[in-house]
Amino acid sequence: MMIEIRGNVEGEEVADAVILGVGADRAMDDAGQWIFERMPRLPHLMDEAEFTGKPGQILSFAGAGDVPYHRVVFVGIGAEPDAEEVRRAAGSGARALGKWATVATTLHSVPIEGAAEAVGLGFALGAYTFMRHKSEPKPSLISTLVLLGADEAAVGEALRGQTIATGVGLARDLVNTPSMEKAPEALAQIAREIAERVGLRIRVLDESEIAAERLGGLLGVSLGATNPPRLVELRYEPEQAKAFVAFVGKGIVFDSGGLSIKAAEGMETMKTDMAGAAAVFGAMQVIAELGLPVKVLGIAPLTENMPGGSAMRPGDVLEIRNGKTIEVLNTDAEGRLVLADGLSLAVEERPDLVIDVATLTGSCKVALGEKIAGLFGADEPAELVSEAAEAAGERVWHMPMPEDYRKNIDSDVADMKNTGPRWGGAINAALLLKEFVGDVDWVHLDIAGPARASDSEHYITKGGTGFGVRTMVEVARRMALR
Ligand code: BES
Ligand code: MN
Ligand code: ZN
């Protein structure tokens, strides 16, 4: 998608369509007023639709005859829009205008910091579609975003937003891809292509190297699958890095539950179980493209969780990379097993901060719903990541990790067991992960809910959301400022 500047809303054939932000009580900027005055039936139609400019409202009209646009879309941004409101407005506009090639807006001049980046990000995300498996694909036809009356700085900002959206789109594509097309080696190959394209170092461990490196959690989960596991390590090492952050993403390319097999319904969306790994790939691509002065290590343990004849069994004991042992009582609690190895590897390199991102527990989805991720960690790193997430427009909630819950995962035979009581399931999982981070600052994001959306809204398209990419990029940006 191209981003261009053009003079103002009045020109002939500026664009096919225009998106106009409307504040509370139908407050509009000059462009909006110019259009409004030339479409005589608008006040009546807005009354009828009860359109006042509330956030989330959207009204779309044919402009033909009155104004030089085929479509005019008004989007509510409320009384005091923030960056997220602008992202959502741009995204709603893009989703409504998929039939048109060139779309103009003035949303970048909403008087807040970062408005232009928010427009570039929200607009590009809203134009996202996944049509690879449709015999008659109907992708969004949008090819150009026109920023009316903008300066070069605004275009630069909007392009940064678009760069972030492309990384989110990569993660969405990987999540939406059927599991049969994303075996661990296939995903590793995609990681190699990303690394080649944006300039990352990459190391891919195959099954014998995974065994030689004593990654017993990843190896154990992989035993029931025919497709062999991989572990991907991506490295971004700019000169003069200001900080060092590591990301670990859960990469279960399909979660059947293993021998503790899921019911059919629970499996329907389990191609999503590599959303953490996908987000790590997306974030690393963006961070490299933006050239942020932060060293980044990205780790993705990749495997299927399948119930084959050589699968791990309830009661089996696995030894993780850092030497601790886990009794597997439920093979469906597999994410924590592969993350234990990933986290062990990450902390060996002593980063300033480790963040893991994982579709870890149904329990977290029950607690926080589909739109909010559980965030676990000590207060200081948790605050850094929470603030970054909030600024980036991803919703998280800081969850407790009470020490007296640790006995929930005491094992009779090993250092711990991989399941506790049903109650507090997301907390029990986080407490297990904590055993593998030592004294390194660490934050765990349980994205079981927000990794996929069951409906489209504003810049979200139903399916994989790419959740986590924007938070990781924003954390890297903030660490670059320290
Ligand atoms: N991948 C699932 C968690 C999940 C469930 C993500 C629903 C998104 C939607 C995970 O591997 C899992 O199966 N967790 C179990 C753990 C339990 C067996 C302790 C769960 O949450 O039920
Ligand atoms: Mn599972
Ligand atoms: Zn899983």
Side-chain angles (χ1 to χ4, degrees):
M1 193 175 77
M2 316 255 291
I3 300 183
E4 293 178 4
I5 302 175
R6 282 177 208 165
N8 58 39
V9 75
E10 302 170 28
E12 284 299 314
E13 304 199 4
V14 166
D16 295 316
V18 63
I19 303 169
L20 298 159
V22 181
D25 302 322
R26 291 189 197 157
M28 288 185 212
D29 61 13
D30 292 348
Q33 280 174 29
W34 188 86
I35 297 269
F36 193 80
E37 283 160 17
R38 276 158 189 79
M39 298 182 74
R41 295 190 316 285
L42 270 187
H44 173 71
L45 293 169
M46 284 185 171
D47 285 347
E48 192 191 3
E50 293 179 27
F51 180 91
T52 57
K54 277 201 211 110
Q57 288 187 319
I58 178 162
L59 267 189
S60 170
F61 300 104
D66 296 329
V67 292
Y69 297 91
H70 296 291
R71 275 270 144 201
V72 178
V73 172
F74 292 94
V75 285
I77 54 174
E80 280 176 29
D82 58 8
E84 179 63 4
E85 223 50 79
V86 174
R87 286 180 208 115
R88 291 180 178 202
S92 300
R95 276 202 310 117
L97 290 169
K99 281 191 189 162
W100 301 103
T102 307
V103 176
T105 190
T106 51
L107 278 168
H108 56 279
S109 23
V110 170
I112 56 161
E113 208 185 313
E117 182 177 310
V119 173
L121 178 59
F123 189 81
L125 285 182
Y128 175 87
T129 59
F130 184 77
M131 297 284 165
R132 202 181 296 156
H133 301 93
K134 296 278 191 189
S135 56
E136 291 178 33
K138 293 185 189 68
S140 172
L141 300 180
I142 292 173
S143 64
T144 307
L145 170 62
V146 175
L147 301 180
L148 294 168
D151 55 16
E152 288 296 339
V155 173
E157 258 194 57
L159 284 169
R160 278 200 296 281
Q162 196 190 1
T163 298
I164 297 170
T166 305
V168 176
L170 165 71
R172 288 180 178 184
D173 277 347
L174 294 176
V175 168
N176 290 334
T177 296
S179 295
M180 68 191 296
E181 295 174 17
K182 59 180 177 192
E185 170 53 28
L187 267 191
Q189 185 54 31
I190 291 169
R192 288 186 194 99
E193 287 159 19
I194 297 167
E196 169 80 15
R197 182 155 41 75
V198 304
L200 301 169
R201 278 173 52 205
I202 182 165
R203 182 166 82 121
V204 178
L205 305 187
D206 66 18
E207 61 269 45
S208 57
E209 292 164 319
I210 287 166
E213 294 289 338
R214 305 182 321 281
L215 306 180
L218 176 56
L219 203 61
V221 174
S222 76
L223 290 175
T226 304
N227 293 317
R230 295 289 184 264
L231 183 119
V232 172
E233 264 182 20
L234 290 166
R235 283 167 203 277
Y236 172 63
E237 290 170 335
E239 282 167 32
Q240 304 192 333
K242 303 262 179 28
F244 175 20
V245 62
F247 302 134
V248 180
K250 173 176 172 181
I252 302 297
V253 301
F254 183 72
D255 183 10
S256 71
L259 286 176
S260 314
I261 199 160
K262 288 181 186 293
E265 205 190 321
M267 264 186 241
E268 281 179 10
T269 56
M270 280 303 132
K271 68 175 182 181
T272 310
D273 216 19
M274 39 60 76
V280 170
F281 293 171
M284 301 240 3
Q285 169 176 306
V286 175
I287 290 166
E289 287 185 332
L290 294 178
L292 300 182
V294 182
K295 178 174 158 183
V296 187
L297 166 63
I299 295 181
L302 305 173
T303 181
E304 280 182 272
N305 185 25
M306 297 291 271
S310 49
M312 63 177 181
R313 314 147 186 86
D316 282 350
V317 174
L318 306 176
E319 182 176 339
I320 304 302
R321 165 81 180 185
N322 76 348
K324 294 192 182 181
T325 56
I326 304 180
E327 183 188 12
V328 178
L329 288 182
N330 188 321
T331 65
D332 198 9
E334 84 297 338
R336 62 200 79 183
L337 302 173
V338 307
L339 288 171
D341 280 323
L343 288 167
S344 301
L345 282 172
V347 299
E348 282 171 18
E349 306 202 17
R350 308 293 307 166
D352 301 312
L353 173 65
V354 184
I355 302 178
D356 78 76
V357 188
T359 46
L360 202 60
T361 65
S363 161
C364 199
K365 193 169 176 178
V366 170
L368 298 175
E370 258 204 341
K371 297 184 184 179
I372 303 176
L375 182 150
F376 299 79
D379 287 347
E380 219 179 292
E383 194 178 330
L384 168 77
V385 179
S386 292
E387 287 177 5
E390 154 78 26
E394 293 186 324
R395 289 151 77 186
V396 301
W397 189 256
H398 191 181
M399 303 280 277
M401 274 195 289
E403 266 165 38
D404 60 327
Y405 281 29
R406 171 60 181 77
K407 62 178 175 296
N408 284 344
I409 54 170
D410 283 349
S411 161
D412 296 339
V413 298
D415 296 335
M416 48 239 156
K417 56 185 179 184
N418 78 329
T419 52
R422 208 172 131 227
W423 317 119
I427 296 172
N428 299 333
L431 284 166
L432 184 128
L433 298 182
K434 188 167 180 254
E435 297 289 323
F436 299 90
V437 296
D439 60 356
V440 174
D441 273 1
W442 159 71
V443 168
H444 158 54
L445 289 176
D446 192 332
I447 62 166
R452 62 184 304 118
S454 40
D455 287 298
S456 299
E457 63 170 347
H458 49 79
Y459 56 72
I460 298 284
T461 304
K462 184 176 177 179
T465 58
F467 191 100
V469 172
R470 293 186 281 149
T471 295
M472 285 186 270
V473 170
E474 186 59 29
V475 165
R477 276 178 158 176
R478 287 170 182 229
M479 290 181 76
L481 301 174
R482 298 210 296 195

